[in-house]
C-alpha cells in the first residue's frame, strides 16, 4: 500500500481507539471531577465489562447480535452494581480522602484481577461481532463493525452531555462537583450522588469494553492500557470537561494509531506518557484543576 | 517522639541486627534463603519509607529506582564486564542520578498529581526497558552469570552465590541502611522532614527551603532503593523488567503501610509479615494478588498506622 491509504487506515484505527478511550476516560473524569477520587481500579471495571460480555454471549448463544445486545445492556449493569457495593463498603468509609482512596482502589484492582484470573482463566477469548459487514473504501475494505463503534460512542457521549447539562440529575451532579458542602446544605443527598457517580463511571468503562471486545478479545490483564491512556486523556483534556475529554481522546487515539503503525506501539506509549507527565509537571494547577479545595 | 532515649533506640536496632545474625545459624535452609531475599527487599521498603513515611510524599513510581539499581548493576556486569563492587556502585549511581532528575521534575507537583507523575515516569522507564530489548533482554530479562558474581580480594574470593556469603552480604547492607536511616530521622534534618510532612506552609514560614529538603529526601530515598536493586541483581543473579513494573512500586507501599509508616523498623516487619502471609497462604491457594488487594483495603480502612505505628501509639512512645 502507498502512504495515503496507509495513513487513512492508521487514522481509522486511531479513531476506533479514540471512541473507546473517550467513553472510558469520561468515566474516570466524572469520578475524579465530582468525588475527587482517583480510581485506579477503573481499568479493571473495563476488563470486567469485556469478560462479562464474553460470559453473556457464550451463555445466550444463537445469533451473535442477540448475545451482543444483551451483553451491551447487562454487563454494564453488573459492573455498575459491583462498583456501587465497592463504593459503599470502602470509599465512603474512607471519607473520600484522596490518598487513602488511591491505596484502596489499588487494592480493588488486585482483587478484581485475581477473581477474573481464578474464575475466567488466563486465556484471551474472542467475542463474535454482532455483524460482519465490510464497507468498501477506495483502497481497501474496512470493517463496518469498527465504524459502528465510533457511531455508538458518539451517540453515548452526546447522551451523557445532554444528561449533564439539560436534566435535574446533571444539575445535582454539577452542584456536588462545584461545592459538595453547600450542596449538602441545600438538601442534596451527596452520599447517594457519590455512589451513583462512581457506578456511572464504572458503567461507562464497561460499555466501552463491550464495544471493543469483538475486535480485541477479553483478557484478565486488558485493563492496564486503558487505565493509563484514560489518565493521559483526563489530564490533557482537563477535569470535568466533556469537550476536553473528547478532544483529548481523539488526539491521543489518532496519534497512537499513527505512531503505532509507522513506528512501534511501545514508542507511541513512551512518547505519550512522557509528554503528559511533562504537561502535569509544568502546568499542574491549570490541567489538574483545583485539587486542594 | 524519641528524644528521651537515644541509647534505648540504638540498643533496639543493634539488637535486631544481632538477632538476624544469630538467626542465620539456626534457620533451616529454606528460610535462610528467604530471609536473605527479605532483607534486600526490606532495604527497598526502608528507602520508600524515607519519602512516604517521613516526608509524607506518596510515590507510585519507586520501582524505577529499584530498577535503575537492578539494571545499572546487572547490565554493567553483563554488557560491560565490570567487577562486582564497581557494578554495585554503578547501580547506586544510576539510581541517585535518576532520583535527582525525577525529583527536580516531580516535586513541582503535590498530592495526587505527584503520585500520577511518579507513576508515569516509572511507566516510561518500564517501557524503555521493553523498547531496548536488545540490551536489556526485554520482558524475558537476563541472568547474571555465576562466575561474574565473585568478589576477589587478592588471594581470597567471595562467591555471592554461596548461601552464607549471600546472607551475610544482605545482612551487611540491611544493617548499614537501617543505621543510616535511624541516624537521618533522629538528626536535625529528619525533624525538618517530619515538619514538612505535618505542615509544609508553616515549615516554609520558619525559614526552611522545603523544596531542596524534599529534593534531598527523594535522592536519599531513590539511592537506598537503587542499592537494594543493585544488591538484588548481584545476590540473586536475575535482572528482569517485572521488577520495574507498577506492581513493584506498590509492593513497598504495602510493606511500609503494614509495618508502620515513619517507623525505622516498620519496613522490615511489614516485609517479613507479608512474605510470611503469602508463603503460608500459597500452600492453600495461588490467589496471591487477592491477598495483596484485601490487605491494602483492610490496612487503609482499619489499621492506617500499621503494626509498629500502632504499638508506638499505644505502648512504646519512644520508638523511632
Amino acid at each position: 500500500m502507498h502512504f495515503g491509504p496507509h495513513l487513512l487506515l492508521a487514522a481509522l484505527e486511531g479513531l476506533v481507539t479514540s471512541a473507546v478511550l473517550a467513553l472510558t476516560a469520561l468515566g474516570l473524569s466524572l469520578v475524579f471531577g465530582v468525588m475527587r477520587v482517583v480510581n485506579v481500579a477503573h481499568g479493571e471495571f473495563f476488563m470486567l465489562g469485556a469478560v462479562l460480555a464474553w460470559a453473556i454471549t457464550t451463555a445466550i448463544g444463537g445469533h451473535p447480535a442477540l448475545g451482543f445486545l444483551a451483553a451491551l445492556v447487562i454487563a454494564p449493569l453488573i459492573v455498575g452494581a459491583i462498583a456501587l457495593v465497592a463504593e459503599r463498603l470502602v470509599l465512603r468509609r474512607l471519607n473520600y480522602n484522596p490518598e487513602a482512596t488511591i491505596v484502596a482502589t489499588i487494592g480493588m484492582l488486585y482483587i478484581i484481577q485475581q477473581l477474573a484470573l481464578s474464575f475466567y482463566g488466563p486465556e484471551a477469548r474472542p467475542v463474535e461481532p454482532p455483524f460482519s459487514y465490510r464497507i468498501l473504501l477506495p483502497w481497501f475494505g474496512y470493517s463496518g463493525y469498527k465504524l459502528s463503534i465510533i457511531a455508538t460512542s458518539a451517540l453515548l457521549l452526546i447522551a451523557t452531555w445532554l444528561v449533564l447539562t439539560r436534566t435535574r440529575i446533571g444539575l445535582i451532579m454539577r452542584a456536588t462537583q462545584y461545592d459538595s458542602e453547600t450542596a449538602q446544605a441545600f438538601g442534596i443527598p451527596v452520599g447517594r450522588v457519590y455512589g451513583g457517580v462512581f457506578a456511572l463511571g464504572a458503567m461507562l468503562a464497561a460499555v466501552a469494553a463491550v464495544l471493543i471486545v469483538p475486535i480485541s478479545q477479553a483478557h484478565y490483564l486488558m485493563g492496564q492500557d486503558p487505565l493509563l491512556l484514560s489518565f493521559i486523556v483526563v489530564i490533557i483534556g482537563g477535569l470535568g470537561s466533556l469537550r476536553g475529554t473528547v478532544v483529548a481522546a481523539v488526539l491521543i487515539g489518532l496519534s497512537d494509531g499513527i505512531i503505532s503503525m509507522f513506528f512501534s506501539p511501545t514508542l507511541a506509549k513512551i512518547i505519550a506518557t512522557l509528554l503528559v507527565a511533562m504537561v502535569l509537571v509544568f502546568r499542574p494547577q491549570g490541567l489538574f484543576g483545583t485539587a486542594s479545595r | 517522639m524519641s528524644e528521651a532515649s537515644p541509647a534505648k533506640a540504638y540498643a533496639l536496632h543493634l539488637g535486631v541486627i544481632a538477632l538476624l545474625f544469630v538467626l542465620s545459624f539456626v534457620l533451616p535452609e529454606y528460610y535462610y534463603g528467604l530471609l536473605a531475599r527479605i532483607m534486600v527487599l526490606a532495604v527497598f521498603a526502608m528507602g520508600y519509607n524515607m519519602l512516604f513515611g517521613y516526608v509524607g510524599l506518596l510515590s507510585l513510581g519507586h520501582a524505577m529506582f529499584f530498577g535503575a539499581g537492578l539494571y545499572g548493576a546487572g547490565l554493567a556486569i553483563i554488557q560491560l564486564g565490570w567487577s562486582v563492587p564497581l557494578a554495585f556502585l554503578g547501580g547506586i549511581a544510576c539510581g541517585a542520578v535518576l532520583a535527582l532528575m525525577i525529583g527536580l521534575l516531580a516535586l513541582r507537583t503535590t498530592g495526587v498529581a505527584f503520585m500520577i507523575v511518579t507513576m508515569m515516569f516509572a511507566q516510561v522507564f518500564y517501557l524503555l526497558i521493553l523498547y531496548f530489548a536488545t540490551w536489556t533482554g526485554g520482558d524475558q530479562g537476563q541472568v547474571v552469570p555465576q562466575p561474574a558474581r565473585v568478589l576477589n580480594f587478592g588471594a581470597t574470593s567471595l562467591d555471592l552465590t554461596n548461601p552464607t556469603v549471600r546472607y551475610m552480604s544482605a545482612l551487611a547492607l540491611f544493617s548499614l541502611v537501617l543505621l543510616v536511616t535511624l541516624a537521618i530521622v533522629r538528626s536535625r534534618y529528619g525533624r525538618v522532614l517530619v515538619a514538612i510532612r505535618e505542615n509544609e506552609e508553616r515549615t516554609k514560614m520558619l525559614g526552611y527551603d522545603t523544596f531542596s529538603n524534599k529534593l534531598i529526601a527523594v535522592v536519599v530515598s531513590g539511592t537506598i532503593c537503587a542499592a537494594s536493586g543493585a544488591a538484588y541483581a548481584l545476590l540473586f543473579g536475575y535482572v528482569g523488567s517485572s521488577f520495574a513494573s507498577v506492581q513493584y512500586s506498590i509492593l513497598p507501599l504495602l510493606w511500609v503501610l503494614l509495618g508502620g509508616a515513619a517507623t525505622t523498623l516498620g519496613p522490615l516487619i511489614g516485609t517479613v509479615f507479608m512474605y510470611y502471609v503469602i508463603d503460608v497462604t500459597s500452600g492453600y491457594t495461588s490467589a496471591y494478588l487477592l491477598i495483596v488487594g484485601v490487605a491494602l483495603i483492610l490496612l487503609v480502612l482499619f489499621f492506617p498506622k500499621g503494626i509498629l505505628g500502632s504499638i508506638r501509639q499505644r505502648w512504646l512512645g519512644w520508638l523511632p
Side-chain angles (χ1 to χ4, degrees):
Chain A
M1 268 196 298
H2 291 291
F3 181 74
H6 227 124
L7 188 67
L8 179 67
L9 184 64
L12 278 174
E13 291 289 320
L15 271 183
V16 175
T17 311
S18 307
V20 174
L21 195 53
L23 282 178
T24 317
L26 181 62
L28 197 68
S29 172
L30 275 180
V31 168
F32 188 84
V34 176
M35 303 168 69
R36 303 272 139 194
V37 165
V38 177
N39 180 13
V40 186
H42 197 62
E44 302 320 299
F45 289 135
F46 180 90
M47 175 272 284
L48 215 50
V51 166
L52 284 171
W54 175 83
I56 293 167
T57 47
T58 314
I60 287 183
H63 191 271
L66 200 68
F68 182 80
L69 281 179
L72 198 55
V73 176
I74 300 171
L77 286 177
I78 298 177
V79 172
I82 293 172
L84 195 63
V85 171
E87 199 272 343
R88 282 292 104 116
L89 285 181
V90 180
L91 299 187
R92 171 183 274 197
R93 292 185 192 211
L94 291 173
N95 234 343
Y96 308 104
N97 170 338
E99 305 201 349
T101 49
I102 286 196
V103 178
T105 49
I106 291 173
M108 285 182 205
L109 180 159
Y110 282 145
I111 293 174
I112 298 175
Q113 214 171 69
Q114 182 66 56
L115 290 179
L117 179 62
S118 302
F119 289 102
Y120 171 83
E123 310 88 8
R125 294 176 182 162
V127 170
E128 225 180 305
F131 54 89
S132 48
Y133 183 78
R134 288 189 88 74
I135 292 175
L136 276 181
L137 296 173
W139 299 286
F140 51 83
Y142 196 67
S143 154
Y145 176 71
K146 285 189 183 176
L147 292 176
S148 80
I149 293 180
I150 301 175
T152 315
S153 165
L155 279 177
L156 282 170
L157 289 171
I158 292 171
T160 314
W161 179 74
L162 285 175
V163 168
L164 280 178
T165 53
R166 297 279 187 276
T167 66
R168 204 181 138 69
I169 298 173
L171 186 69
I172 289 175
M173 270 166 64
R174 279 182 290 138
T176 313
Q177 170 166 6
Y178 189 70
D179 187 341
S180 61
E181 274 175 31
T182 313
Q184 180 102 51
F186 275 89
I188 291 175
V190 170
R192 289 225 309 266
V193 175
Y194 280 2
V197 166
F198 196 72
L200 179 67
M203 284 166 76
L204 282 168
V207 171
V210 178
L211 288 175
I212 196 77
V213 75
I215 52 178
S216 80
Q217 305 198 326
H219 185 253
Y220 83 105
L221 286 177
M222 72 190 288
Q224 302 294 320
D225 278 0
L227 176 69
L228 198 73
L229 285 175
S230 301
F231 270 146
I232 294 176
V233 166
V234 168
I235 290 162
I236 289 187
L239 278 160
S241 155
L242 189 81
R243 199 186 307 143
T245 303
V246 173
V247 170
V250 170
L251 205 72
I252 295 293
L254 276 181
S255 56
D256 188 66
I258 291 167
I259 301 177
S260 304
M261 184 150 294
F262 292 104
F263 299 98
S264 100
T266 313
L267 190 64
K269 266 191 254 169
I270 292 175
I271 293 172
T273 315
L274 202 56
L275 276 181
V276 171
M278 289 304 176
V279 166
L280 248 178
V281 165
F282 290 104
R283 301 224 26 219
Q285 64 286 5
L287 291 159
F288 222 89
T290 49
S292 55
R293 189 170 55 194
Chain B
M1 235 167 16
S2 49
E3 238 112 5
S5 50
K8 230 169 163 182
Y10 278 100
L12 174 70
H13 288 71
L14 291 173
V16 169
I17 293 167
L19 177 69
L20 286 167
F21 182 72
V22 172
L23 271 179
S24 75
F25 298 104
V26 276
L27 280 179
E29 200 179 335
Y30 172 72
Y31 285 101
Y32 190 68
L34 191 65
L35 196 55
R37 195 174 296 252
I38 287 176
M39 283 191 289
V40 172
L41 292 175
V43 171
F44 184 20
M46 283 193 276
Y48 189 85
N49 190 28
M50 199 67 225
L51 197 62
F52 170 62
Y54 289 98
V55 199
L57 285 168
L58 202 166
S59 147
L60 287 178
H62 262 53
M64 72 181 139
F65 301 133
F66 187 82
L70 189 80
Y71 276 90
L75 295 184
I77 287 186
I78 298 168
Q79 305 287 359
L80 306 172
W82 289 14
S83 67
V84 169
L86 218 53
F88 185 63
L89 293 177
I92 294 177
C94 286
V97 171
L98 182 68
L100 181 66
M101 278 162 34
I102 298 292
L104 279 171
L105 290 169
L107 283 176
R108 298 171 60 105
T109 64
T110 50
V112 171
F114 181 80
M115 297 173 210
I116 295 186
V117 165
T118 47
M119 190 173 86
M120 286 186 154
F121 282 130
Q123 186 69 15
V124 170
F125 183 86
Y126 172 69
L127 290 170
L128 283 172
I129 291 173
L130 297 185
Y131 190 70
F132 292 107
T134 32
W135 292 308
T136 62
D139 53 5
Q140 301 281 315
Q142 274 173 316
V143 172
V144 184
Q146 191 265 338
R149 287 157 58 202
V150 178
L151 265 165
N152 291 309
F153 299 108
T156 56
S157 65
L158 277 174
D159 185 355
L160 293 181
T161 50
N162 172 309
T164 313
V165 176
R166 185 189 280 170
Y167 187 96
M168 288 307 160
S169 312
L171 179 60
L173 177 70
F174 171 81
S175 314
L176 178 70
V177 173
L178 182 68
L179 294 175
V180 166
T181 47
L182 180 65
I184 290 177
V185 303
R186 293 186 54 84
S187 71
R188 216 176 114 78
Y189 171 65
R191 297 308 159 85
V192 176
L193 292 186
V194 172
I196 291 174
R197 180 187 72 197
E198 295 303 325
N199 191 334
E200 184 165 355
E201 284 305 309
R202 191 176 294 174
T203 316
K204 219 181 260 174
M205 277 197 292
L206 287 172
Y208 290 101
D209 179 356
T210 54
F211 183 86
S212 53
N213 277 307
K214 286 196 287 185
L215 185 62
I216 295 169
V218 171
V219 174
V220 170
S221 167
T223 309
I224 294 175
C225 293
S228 163
Y232 200 96
L234 296 171
L235 294 180
F236 301 101
Y238 175 69
V239 172
S241 63
S242 62
F243 289 111
S245 65
V246 187
Q247 207 183 341
Y248 265 80
S249 291
I250 291 168
L251 284 175
L253 168 67
L254 177 72
W255 297 329
V256 169
L257 272 178
L258 181 64
T263 60
T264 42
L265 285 168
L268 174 69
I269 293 180
T271 316
V272 168
F273 200 78
M274 205 64 214
Y275 252 84
Y276 188 68
V277 167
I278 288 170
D279 207 50
V280 169
T281 46
S282 60
Y284 303 98
T285 162
S286 60
Y288 150 75
L289 286 179
L290 190 70
I291 296 159
V292 174
V294 171
L296 275 175
I297 292 182
L298 291 181
L299 278 171
V300 79
L301 268 181
F302 303 110
F303 220 45
K305 285 197 190 314
I307 295 171
L308 212 56
S310 303
I311 291 177
R312 173 166 70 191
Q313 195 181 25
R314 300 238 176 101
W315 299 294
L316 303 173
W318 55 271
L319 276 179

